[in-house]
Every structure is written in structure tokens, then in C-alpha cells.
């Protein structure tokens, strides 16, 4: 199983560390990582985790400028792609098919090949353009999973909130995340 993980410069880059860590716990899962320049800058501003820790988790790290990378071709089979976090710029690029970098090109390839593309958009409040682009992305086949807070699972810290979001993302690929706490119903 090969999954592409794209990380943009939107706030919340550290979530991608938890995502890749969870993917690496899946036997036989190969992670292809793309970090935009914006992601690298935001990582320095937001995270105490050294960026190298994320990079070392990935099986393959692709330069965002390398449009000749193996994942830029539909003949290289993957399960799909996760963009976490997804900036509004990247969202716009995906919906317009404007593949100016490898991250958007890889998403374009996944969509044209009928593969899963999960976008984790980070912005608030959402403007009309953002909402229009999310709707367009959904119509193109993307799954939109905003990283919203969840309370029914009794989270005690941010890490548990992130792991819940990661669990929701992995469900899209038929993968169960061991740190995901699902809703179990309530007595009336």
C-alpha cells in the first residue's frame, strides 16, 4: 500500500506528524511525503517537533518542485493522497487543476485515476470562495475532512483531538487507527 501525504503551509502542520506516524504503524504501508516551502516555514513557527522527525518517518520524500517524481504519473499506483493541512491556495489549485507543483500534480493524478484524495482544510472563518472551492473539490471526488474538535470521545489533550482526526482520515482508506475513539452510542 502506498499513500501520498502532502503538507502545505496552512496552520496545523504538526497534525501531519501524527498522520504519518499512524501510517507507519500499518504493516506494508509506504508513505510518500511532499512538504511545500510554506509547510517548512510554518513548521518552524508552530512546532516544537523537529521537522526531521517527520521526514525520517516517510519512506520517500519528494521535492515539491520535482514534477518528474514517480508520483506525478498515473502509472505509479498508489491508494491515494491526503493533504494535511490543506491551505486554501492548494485547495484552489486542486479544484482548478493548476498543477504548478508536485503536491497539486499528485492530487490531480489521483483524481484522474479515480483514487482517494482526502483534503484537511485549515481556515476559519470560511469565506465564500473557500466554501465554493471545497464544494467543487467534493464534486471532483475529494473527501473534505476539516480538523474540527470532537468532544463525545472525552479527549483530554490536543494529541487526542489530533488522533481522532487522523482516525477519521484513515477510515477513508479502510484503515483502523488504534488511537481513535469512536462514538459508541448513548442510553436514552
Amino acid at each position: 500500500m502506498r499513500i501520498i501525504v502532502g503538507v502545505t503551509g496552512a496552520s496545523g502542520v504538526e497534525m501531519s506528524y501524527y498522520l504519518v506516524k499512524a501510517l507507519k504503524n500499518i504493516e506494508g504501508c509506504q508513505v510518500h511525503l511532499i512538504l511545500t516551502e510554506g509547510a517548512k516555514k510554518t513548521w518552524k513557527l508552530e512546532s516544537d517537533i523537529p521537522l526531521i522527525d517527520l521526514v525520517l518517518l516517510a519512506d520517500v520524500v519528494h521535492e515539491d518542485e520535482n514534477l518528474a517524481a514517480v508520483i506525478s504519473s498515473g502509472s505509479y499506483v498508489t491508494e491515494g493522497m491526503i493533504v494535511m493541512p490543506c491551505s486554501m491556495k492548494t485547495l484552489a489549485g486542486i479544484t482548478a487543476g493548476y498543477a504548478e507543483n508536485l503536491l497539486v500534480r499528485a492530487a490531480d493524478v489521483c483524481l484522474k485515476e479515480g483514487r482517494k484524495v482526502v483534503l484537511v482544510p485549515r481556515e476559519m472563518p470560511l469565506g465564500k470562495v473557500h466554501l465554493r472551492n471545497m464544494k467543487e473539490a467534493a464534486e471532483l471526488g475529494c473527501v473534505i475532512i476539516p480538523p474540527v474538535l470532537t468532544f463525545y470521545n472525552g479527549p483530554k489533550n490536543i494529541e487526542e483531538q489530533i488522533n481522532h482526526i487522523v482516525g477519521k482520515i484513515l477510515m477513508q482508506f479502510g484503515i483502523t487507527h488504534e488511537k481513535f475513539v469512536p462514538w459508541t452510542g448513548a442510553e436514552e
Side-chain angles (χ1 to χ4, degrees):
M1 168 188 306
R2 297 175 182 137
I3 295 182
I4 303 164
V5 175
V7 185
T8 74
S11 184
V13 290
E14 196 172 295
M15 294 185 297
S16 62
Y17 172 79
Y18 292 91
L19 172 65
V20 174
K21 202 160 103 172
L23 288 169
K24 290 311 301 171
N25 283 333
I26 300 160
E27 187 175 333
C29 183
Q30 185 182 72
V31 176
H32 287 255
L33 180 67
I34 309 165
L35 291 162
T36 67
E37 285 305 311
K40 293 172 187 175
K41 289 176 185 174
T42 303
W43 195 279
K44 288 178 186 175
L45 294 170
E46 289 187 352
S47 183
D48 291 331
I49 299 171
L51 181 58
I52 191 69
D53 288 3
L54 171 64
V55 169
L56 291 174
L57 285 172
D59 296 289
V60 183
V61 179
H62 299 280
E63 292 300 320
D64 194 33
E65 300 80 32
N66 183 10
L67 290 170
V70 67
I71 58 174
S72 70
S73 173
S75 63
Y76 188 77
V77 179
T78 67
E79 303 303 309
M81 181 171 186
I82 303 160
V83 182
M84 181 180 197
C86 183
S87 69
M88 294 300 108
K89 176 184 176 183
T90 298
L91 172 66
I94 291 169
T95 61
Y98 187 65
E100 71 171 344
N101 59 31
L102 181 60
L103 193 152
V104 177
R105 171 62 185 163
D108 186 53
V109 166
C110 288
L111 288 172
K112 81 178 182 72
E113 297 295 333
R115 298 176 188 149
K116 183 74 71 175
V117 176
V118 176
L119 305 179
V120 184
R122 270 287 299 127
E123 187 64 73
M124 64 186 243
L126 294 166
K128 291 177 183 178
V129 171
H130 307 142
L131 292 167
R132 181 194 68 207
N133 286 341
M134 280 189 245
K135 178 181 179 285
E136 182 70 23
E139 288 173 352
L140 293 170
C142 295
V143 175
I144 311 296
I145 301 182
V148 297
L149 299 175
T150 304
F151 298 96
Y152 64 76
N153 57 351
K156 304 290 184 250
N157 54 47
I158 290 174
E159 186 173 334
E160 289 178 3
Q161 289 278 1
I162 294 170
N163 278 315
H164 185 80
I165 295 161
V166 168
K168 296 291 270 188
I169 292 165
L170 295 182
M171 276 185 202
Q172 295 297 312
F173 293 88
I175 299 168
T176 302
H177 181 32
E178 63 194 27
K179 295 184 179 181
F180 177 76
V181 179
W183 173 251
T184 56
E187 298 293 322
E188 287 192 39

